[in-house]
Amino acid sequence: MPDDNSSVSYVTELKSLPDQIATAIRESIVSGALAVDARLPNEAELAAQFGVSRPTVREALKRLAAKNLIRSRRGVSGGNFVTLPSSEQVRSDLSTTATLLVSHKVFSLAEVAESRRLLETTCARLAAERRTTDHLAALGEALERQARPDLSDEEFCDADVAFHRVIVQAAGNPVLDYVMVFALEALHPSTNLVINRFRQRSDVLALQQVLLDAVASGDPDAAEAAIHAQMDHLSGIYNEAQEWVEARRVEREDGHGRTTD
């Protein structure tokens, strides 16, 4: 038999009944046993199926609704139905997760930048081959907006990310699209706002224009080279920004803002 300490550890690792039920239903949804738009059994039926009370089932359903795996509908034909998270919800969740992981230094900026370089070069090559007139128009509009002199730093960053989102969309691969949400959002807004003091907007716009021209001309090699040029430029800016942040930290620790000799 396990000793008392191991018994306590085992008990604390057990999921609550609502969590167990939510997990079981979630697995049925993920496996396809429960199809999208399928109606779940009612609370009484689920309570009997799992051998628990209706309030326990209700708590499990709340957990599934919070993850956007089910939706409820009132009325005679109502109930709980299997659903899928919307594209906007998935993007929002990925963006939030990416920002948190970078902010808490789970991923370093260097690691994210390296991943972005690898992924976005692929996207740029595909975009040069697959872009439509609508994509080119959207890229032009994003670049025009980014060139506006009245934009705040935050608005300039938003326009920058919007331009690159169109590049990813033009690649025509929805899996890459979702993956690149993470890679782009992990560097925005926290890092972009920091590096604004170290970069010239004219340099950013010139590099964007080179990328747009490469995609518009249908030249994958030129599009890839344009991404590498952008990431080389960003890497230098990141290094300068990180050195500045570290210097400010040392100053604060040394004398509450007094500069060391």
Side-chain angles (χ1 to χ4, degrees):
M1 289 182 61
D3 57 30
D4 289 343
N5 289 336
S6 63
S7 296
V8 171
S9 176
Y10 174 73
V11 170
T12 57
E13 290 175 0
L14 286 177
K15 289 184 178 180
S16 68
L17 284 174
D19 284 335
Q20 292 179 53
I21 295 167
T23 297
I25 296 174
R26 176 186 176 279
E27 288 175 352
S28 293
I29 294 172
V30 172
S31 69
L34 284 172
V36 175
D37 295 329
R39 184 181 184 279
L40 270 62
N42 62 37
E43 288 183 5
E45 292 169 331
L46 287 171
Q49 176 182 334
F50 288 101
V52 298
S53 66
R54 290 180 64 174
T56 298
V57 167
R58 199 169 300 127
E59 285 301 315
L61 295 176
K62 287 180 181 179
R63 285 160 170 72
L64 293 169
K67 294 179 182 294
N68 296 299
L69 291 174
I70 64 171
R71 68 182 187 281
S72 61
R73 191 168 69 205
R74 298 181 180 277
V76 178
S77 61
N80 291 295
F81 297 83
V82 176
T83 189
L84 288 178
S86 67
S87 175
E88 292 74 16
Q89 182 62 49
V90 172
R91 289 172 183 277
S92 176
D93 290 346
L94 285 171
S95 175
T96 300
T97 301
T99 302
L100 282 172
L101 291 176
V102 172
S103 297
H104 290 276
K105 303 188 186 313
V106 177
F107 297 147
S108 71
L109 291 181
E111 290 168 339
V112 176
E114 181 180 60
S115 299
R116 178 178 168 182
R117 180 191 292 267
L118 292 170
L119 291 166
E120 197 167 4
T121 51
T122 298
C123 291
R125 292 189 66 89
L126 291 173
E129 297 171 350
R130 301 175 178 177
R131 85 290 184 279
T132 65
T133 54
D134 287 342
H135 290 132
L136 294 178
L139 287 169
E141 290 172 5
L143 194 54
E144 285 180 11
R145 177 171 180 266
Q146 198 173 3
R148 284 173 42 190
D150 61 326
L151 290 185
S152 67
D153 286 346
E154 186 172 359
E155 289 170 333
F156 183 82
C157 291
D158 287 339
D160 184 24
V161 173
F163 179 91
H164 286 274
R165 284 196 189 116
V166 179
I167 292 291
V168 175
Q169 292 165 5
N173 185 310
V175 177
L176 276 175
D177 199 343
Y178 279 122
V179 172
M180 282 302 297
V181 169
F182 196 101
L184 286 174
E185 299 296 342
L187 299 178
H188 173 79
S190 57
T191 56
N192 273 359
L193 292 177
V194 170
I195 68 174
N196 262 328
R197 68 173 63 226
F198 301 102
R199 68 177 177 179
Q200 296 295 321
R201 292 189 180 187
S202 58
D203 293 337
V204 176
L205 292 170
L207 289 166
Q208 303 281 57
Q209 186 64 60
V210 171
L211 176 56
L212 173 53
D213 291 343
V215 171
S217 64
D219 188 338
D221 291 335
E224 178 176 347
I227 291 294
H228 282 304
Q230 287 191 343
M231 294 308 300
D232 288 342
H233 178 256
L234 278 176
S235 294
I237 298 296
Y238 289 149
N239 291 337
E240 187 176 358
Q242 287 179 326
E243 289 174 2
W244 180 85
V245 170
E246 179 62 19
R248 300 290 80 74
R249 184 188 65 78
V250 171
E251 286 180 4
R252 288 194 300 271
E253 291 179 354
D254 182 68
H256 304 290
R258 293 196 304 272
T259 304
T260 58
D261 292 330

